[in-house]
Amino acid sequence: MILLDEFSDHFEETQKHCARLEIINDRHGMQDDIAGCDALEGFLLKVKHNLAETVPGEVRDAALIASGRCLEHYEIAVPGESSGGISASRRSSVWHSLRQSA
C-alpha cells in the first residue's frame, strides 16, 4: 500500500500544480496546449502495456516506479518547452507568477 499512497499523494500534488498553472494561464492570456498531447498518449499506452504484461509484485512495482519517474521528468520539461514562443518579458512575468503562487 505504500506505493499506492505515494502515487495518490503525487496525484493530489499534481492537481494543485495544474490549478496553479490554469490561474497563471488565465492571468497571462495563455492556453494550455497539453490536451491531446501525443507524448502523454504514448506514455499512457506504455504504462497500460506494462501493467498488462506484469503480475502484482516487485516487477510491477518497479515498472510503475520507472513510469512515474518518466512522467515526472515530462511534467518538468513541458512548461519550459511550451514557453519557447513567449516573449522574454512575458516569460519573466509568468515565472514571477509561478514563484508567487508556490
Side-chain angles (χ1 to χ4, degrees):
M1 289 301 278
I2 294 173
L3 185 58
L4 179 60
D5 293 340
E6 290 296 325
F7 277 112
S8 296
D9 290 348
H10 188 275
F11 179 72
E12 290 176 19
E13 195 175 305
T14 299
Q15 286 181 311
K16 291 176 188 175
H17 293 311
C18 288
R20 286 176 50 217
L21 290 172
E22 284 179 27
I23 292 168
I24 291 166
N25 283 341
D26 289 345
R27 185 182 299 162
H28 295 280
M30 299 165 51
Q31 290 188 339
D32 180 10
D33 59 353
I34 196 80
C37 176
D38 292 338
L40 281 179
E41 292 296 324
F43 176 79
L44 291 174
L45 286 174
K46 179 66 175 163
V47 170
K48 288 177 183 178
H49 172 77
N50 287 344
L51 288 173
E53 295 295 317
T54 59
V55 295
E58 292 178 2
V59 172
R60 179 178 279 179
D61 288 353
L64 289 171
I65 291 167
S67 296
R69 287 181 180 161
C70 289
L71 182 57
E72 186 70 23
H73 288 284
Y74 183 79
E75 289 173 349
I76 293 167
V78 170
E81 180 180 301
S82 63
S83 66
I86 302 173
S87 70
S89 62
R90 185 176 222 182
R91 189 176 305 130
S92 175
S93 178
V94 168
W95 288 118
H96 179 70
S97 294
L98 283 169
R99 281 194 307 273
Q100 283 184 327
S101 69

